[in-house]
Amino acid sequence: PPVEAGPLECLPLAYLLGMPKCGSSDLWERLARHPQVLKADRKEVRYLTRGEFSEAAPKERGFLPPELALSDFTQHHAAAARQIWEDYEAVERPDQAQPEDYEQANASPHAAKIIVDGGPHTLWWSIQDPDGQAPRPVRVTGDSSGTGELVAPAPIPQILRGLQPRAKLVVTLAEPVRRMYSDYFFLHANSVAMDGEGKSPEDFHQVATQQVKAMHRCFLTHAQDESLTPSDLESRLPYLAEQACAYDRYHFGRPGTGRIAIGLYHAFLRRWLQLYPRSQLLVLRLEDFNQNPRKHLTGLFEWLGLEAQQLDEGAWQEVLVDRTFNEHRS
């Protein structure tokens, strides 16, 4: 690395893309307890999902403004980058390393550390207008005269693919109704519902019923161009209707409603798999994970290129601490 040019800056090797209320916080916390995993200065940096809860994209700018620098992302990994550089010096530059550096780095190529991004909204967020329509063009160049080139903002999968074509993507999912129920109890319209005030199973049933009916109407509206009937939707759903409704956060992604759109997992996975090979995307089910956490964490560690079989029991106890982080609420 060119140390003369300044401090080392690092991007994550792996991204925990989502989904909300599917055990992503718990999984990220356990990942971060692995001795080879480093993390940002907070779980959700949201570099790629700016404006996430906005009702409209900022005018003439898009959610990722032209002046946004990559250093706005890497600055959150400064401490992790310093640790990676110190380990590199201990192994590759032994003449410059201090004795204690060997112990920290384990003096082994298998001990190389990685950064994992923990933003659980990246999978279902795509720089798309909140009504589910394709993003409107924004003016990215020009001056105060209003001239300049109009360009449609690129979706998040395309941005990350251009930035890191070899990134490893991890997704954790849960049974959609259970996920929606937990989401409903977790959020009010404008805040986290810490005590469940105003929430009840009966109210959830009413809200969920309204959401399902509205989603079905959305499918029908966007399927009209293909002359599909309601019965046709039981067997096949047009791609454009699926995408428009799944990404319609204004109607189906509002906090406090359970955010039914998030449960349309295939609509979001489809976009990422158009750009990343299946071998770079690992999908976990919360229900399977809960049955045997050690087995599934071993598989995840190995898939990320981390030591798993070599971890001693002390390290495993740290990873498998008997606590659920940000557990489902009901």
Short mmCIF file of all heavy atoms in Angstrom, two decimals, residues 15-16 38 46 50 65 79 97-98 158 170 174 178 186 209 214 225 237-238 253 278 292 296 317-318 328:
data_model
loop_
_atom_site.label_atom_id
_atom_site.label_comp_id
_atom_site.label_asym_id
_atom_site.label_seq_id
_atom_site.Cartn_x
_atom_site.Cartn_y
_atom_site.Cartn_z
N TYR A 15 -20.66 -7.58 2.59
CA TYR A 15 -21.78 -6.72 2.93
C TYR A 15 -22.94 -7.58 3.41
O TYR A 15 -23.39 -8.49 2.69
CB TYR A 15 -22.22 -5.90 1.71
CG TYR A 15 -21.21 -4.86 1.29
CD1 TYR A 15 -20.09 -5.22 0.53
CD2 TYR A 15 -21.37 -3.52 1.63
CE1 TYR A 15 -19.16 -4.26 0.14
CE2 TYR A 15 -20.44 -2.56 1.25
CZ TYR A 15 -19.34 -2.94 0.50
OH TYR A 15 -18.41 -1.99 0.12
N LEU A 16 -23.41 -7.29 4.61
CA LEU A 16 -24.62 -7.93 5.11
C LEU A 16 -25.78 -7.08 4.59
O LEU A 16 -26.16 -6.08 5.19
CB LEU A 16 -24.60 -7.99 6.64
CG LEU A 16 -25.80 -8.63 7.34
CD1 LEU A 16 -26.05 -10.03 6.81
CD2 LEU A 16 -25.59 -8.66 8.84
N LEU A 38 -13.38 -7.12 11.35
CA LEU A 38 -13.36 -5.74 11.82
C LEU A 38 -14.62 -5.04 11.32
O LEU A 38 -15.22 -5.46 10.33
CB LEU A 38 -12.11 -5.01 11.29
CG LEU A 38 -10.77 -5.66 11.65
CD1 LEU A 38 -9.64 -4.96 10.92
CD2 LEU A 38 -10.54 -5.61 13.17
N ARG A 46 -24.70 3.47 6.09
CA ARG A 46 -25.70 3.96 5.13
C ARG A 46 -25.11 4.89 4.08
O ARG A 46 -25.74 5.86 3.66
CB ARG A 46 -26.85 4.65 5.86
CG ARG A 46 -27.55 3.71 6.83
CD ARG A 46 -28.89 4.23 7.28
NE ARG A 46 -29.50 3.31 8.23
CZ ARG A 46 -30.75 3.38 8.64
NH1 ARG A 46 -31.53 4.31 8.15
NH2 ARG A 46 -31.23 2.51 9.52
N ARG A 50 -28.50 6.65 1.39
CA ARG A 50 -28.83 7.98 1.87
C ARG A 50 -30.26 8.35 1.43
O ARG A 50 -30.70 7.98 0.36
CB ARG A 50 -27.85 9.02 1.31
CG ARG A 50 -26.47 8.92 1.97
CD ARG A 50 -25.43 9.70 1.18
NE ARG A 50 -24.16 9.62 1.88
CZ ARG A 50 -23.63 10.63 2.57
NH1 ARG A 50 -24.24 11.79 2.63
NH2 ARG A 50 -22.48 10.49 3.18
N PRO A 65 -25.30 12.43 -4.07
CA PRO A 65 -24.94 13.66 -4.78
C PRO A 65 -23.56 13.57 -5.40
O PRO A 65 -22.70 12.82 -4.93
CB PRO A 65 -24.98 14.72 -3.67
CG PRO A 65 -24.79 13.97 -2.40
CD PRO A 65 -25.44 12.63 -2.62
N ALA A 79 -10.31 3.00 11.98
CA ALA A 79 -9.69 2.16 13.00
C ALA A 79 -9.42 0.76 12.47
O ALA A 79 -8.36 0.17 12.75
CB ALA A 79 -10.60 2.09 14.24
N ALA A 97 8.26 -4.28 12.56
CA ALA A 97 7.21 -4.64 13.51
C ALA A 97 7.74 -4.77 14.92
O ALA A 97 8.91 -5.12 15.13
CB ALA A 97 6.56 -5.95 13.08
N GLN A 98 6.90 -4.50 15.86
CA GLN A 98 7.20 -4.72 17.26
C GLN A 98 6.82 -6.15 17.64
O GLN A 98 5.94 -6.75 17.03
CB GLN A 98 6.43 -3.72 18.13
CG GLN A 98 6.75 -2.26 17.82
CD GLN A 98 8.20 -1.95 18.07
OE1 GLN A 98 8.77 -2.37 19.08
NE2 GLN A 98 8.83 -1.21 17.14
N GLN A 158 -25.89 -1.76 -9.10
CA GLN A 158 -24.99 -1.36 -10.18
C GLN A 158 -23.81 -0.56 -9.64
O GLN A 158 -22.67 -0.73 -10.08
CB GLN A 158 -25.77 -0.53 -11.20
CG GLN A 158 -24.95 -0.14 -12.43
CD GLN A 158 -25.80 0.60 -13.46
OE1 GLN A 158 -27.02 0.41 -13.52
NE2 GLN A 158 -25.17 1.45 -14.23
N VAL A 170 -24.02 -11.13 1.85
CA VAL A 170 -24.71 -12.02 2.77
C VAL A 170 -26.12 -11.48 3.02
O VAL A 170 -26.30 -10.29 3.26
CB VAL A 170 -23.96 -12.14 4.11
CG1 VAL A 170 -24.69 -13.12 5.04
CG2 VAL A 170 -22.52 -12.58 3.88
N ALA A 174 -36.26 -14.19 6.89
CA ALA A 174 -37.15 -14.85 7.85
C ALA A 174 -38.49 -15.09 7.18
O ALA A 174 -38.82 -14.47 6.15
CB ALA A 174 -37.33 -14.00 9.10
N ARG A 178 -43.90 -13.64 9.79
CA ARG A 178 -43.22 -13.40 11.08
C ARG A 178 -42.38 -12.13 11.02
O ARG A 178 -42.34 -11.35 11.97
CB ARG A 178 -42.34 -14.61 11.41
CG ARG A 178 -41.63 -14.48 12.76
CD ARG A 178 -40.60 -15.57 12.95
NE ARG A 178 -39.92 -15.42 14.23
CZ ARG A 178 -38.71 -15.88 14.48
NH1 ARG A 178 -38.04 -16.52 13.55
NH2 ARG A 178 -38.16 -15.72 15.67
N PHE A 186 -41.92 -3.24 15.98
CA PHE A 186 -40.64 -2.56 16.16
C PHE A 186 -40.71 -1.06 15.91
O PHE A 186 -40.00 -0.27 16.55
CB PHE A 186 -39.61 -3.19 15.22
CG PHE A 186 -38.22 -2.60 15.32
CD1 PHE A 186 -37.51 -2.64 16.51
CD2 PHE A 186 -37.63 -2.01 14.22
CE1 PHE A 186 -36.24 -2.10 16.61
CE2 PHE A 186 -36.35 -1.47 14.30
CZ PHE A 186 -35.65 -1.52 15.50
N THR A 209 -54.08 -6.91 6.69
CA THR A 209 -55.13 -7.18 5.71
C THR A 209 -55.22 -6.04 4.70
O THR A 209 -55.33 -6.28 3.49
CB THR A 209 -56.48 -7.37 6.42
OG1 THR A 209 -56.39 -8.48 7.32
CG2 THR A 209 -57.59 -7.63 5.42
N ALA A 214 -54.04 -3.91 -0.74
CA ALA A 214 -53.44 -2.82 -1.51
C ALA A 214 -52.34 -3.34 -2.43
O ALA A 214 -52.21 -2.89 -3.58
CB ALA A 214 -52.90 -1.75 -0.56
N ASP A 225 -51.15 -3.79 -18.68
CA ASP A 225 -50.58 -3.73 -20.03
C ASP A 225 -50.45 -5.11 -20.66
O ASP A 225 -50.37 -5.24 -21.88
CB ASP A 225 -49.21 -3.05 -20.00
CG ASP A 225 -49.33 -1.57 -19.67
OD1 ASP A 225 -50.44 -1.03 -19.80
OD2 ASP A 225 -48.31 -0.98 -19.27
N LEU A 237 -46.45 -13.55 -12.13
CA LEU A 237 -46.46 -12.13 -11.83
C LEU A 237 -45.49 -11.43 -12.78
O LEU A 237 -44.31 -11.77 -12.82
CB LEU A 237 -46.04 -11.88 -10.39
CG LEU A 237 -46.07 -10.44 -9.88
CD1 LEU A 237 -47.50 -9.90 -9.92
CD2 LEU A 237 -45.53 -10.37 -8.46
N PRO A 238 -45.98 -10.50 -13.58
CA PRO A 238 -45.09 -9.81 -14.52
C PRO A 238 -43.93 -9.13 -13.79
O PRO A 238 -44.11 -8.59 -12.69
CB PRO A 238 -46.00 -8.77 -15.18
CG PRO A 238 -47.39 -9.28 -14.97
CD PRO A 238 -47.36 -10.02 -13.67
N GLY A 253 -43.77 0.49 2.28
CA GLY A 253 -42.56 0.48 3.09
C GLY A 253 -42.59 1.49 4.21
O GLY A 253 -41.54 1.89 4.72
N ARG A 278 -24.08 -16.08 -8.51
CA ARG A 278 -24.68 -16.73 -7.35
C ARG A 278 -23.62 -17.14 -6.32
O ARG A 278 -23.90 -17.16 -5.11
CB ARG A 278 -25.46 -17.98 -7.82
CG ARG A 278 -26.19 -18.71 -6.71
CD ARG A 278 -27.29 -17.85 -6.11
NE ARG A 278 -27.98 -18.56 -5.03
CZ ARG A 278 -27.57 -18.60 -3.78
NH1 ARG A 278 -26.45 -17.96 -3.43
NH2 ARG A 278 -28.24 -19.26 -2.86
N ASN A 292 -29.40 -24.23 14.77
CA ASN A 292 -28.02 -24.66 14.99
C ASN A 292 -27.06 -23.51 14.66
O ASN A 292 -26.45 -23.50 13.59
CB ASN A 292 -27.69 -25.89 14.14
CG ASN A 292 -26.40 -26.57 14.57
OD1 ASN A 292 -25.51 -25.93 15.12
ND2 ASN A 292 -26.29 -27.86 14.33
N HIS A 296 -24.24 -23.03 11.30
CA HIS A 296 -24.42 -22.04 10.24
C HIS A 296 -23.35 -20.96 10.28
O HIS A 296 -22.93 -20.46 9.24
CB HIS A 296 -25.82 -21.43 10.34
CG HIS A 296 -26.90 -22.34 9.86
ND1 HIS A 296 -27.48 -23.30 10.67
CD2 HIS A 296 -27.47 -22.49 8.65
CE1 HIS A 296 -28.37 -23.98 9.97
NE2 HIS A 296 -28.39 -23.51 8.75
N GLN A 317 -17.18 -19.29 22.36
CA GLN A 317 -18.04 -18.78 23.43
C GLN A 317 -18.31 -17.29 23.25
O GLN A 317 -19.41 -16.80 23.54
CB GLN A 317 -17.40 -19.05 24.79
CG GLN A 317 -17.42 -20.52 25.19
CD GLN A 317 -16.75 -20.76 26.53
OE1 GLN A 317 -16.45 -19.83 27.27
NE2 GLN A 317 -16.48 -22.02 26.84
N GLU A 318 -17.31 -16.58 22.76
CA GLU A 318 -17.49 -15.16 22.50
C GLU A 318 -18.48 -14.94 21.36
O GLU A 318 -19.34 -14.05 21.42
CB GLU A 318 -16.13 -14.53 22.16
CG GLU A 318 -16.18 -13.04 21.86
CD GLU A 318 -16.46 -12.19 23.09
OE1 GLU A 318 -16.35 -12.71 24.23
OE2 GLU A 318 -16.80 -11.00 22.91
N HIS A 328 -36.66 -10.21 17.79
CA HIS A 328 -38.01 -9.96 17.34
C HIS A 328 -38.88 -9.50 18.49
O HIS A 328 -38.79 -10.03 19.61
CB HIS A 328 -38.61 -11.26 16.76
CG HIS A 328 -38.22 -11.51 15.35
ND1 HIS A 328 -39.11 -11.86 14.39
CD2 HIS A 328 -37.02 -11.42 14.71
CE1 HIS A 328 -38.49 -12.03 13.22
NE2 HIS A 328 -37.22 -11.76 13.41
#
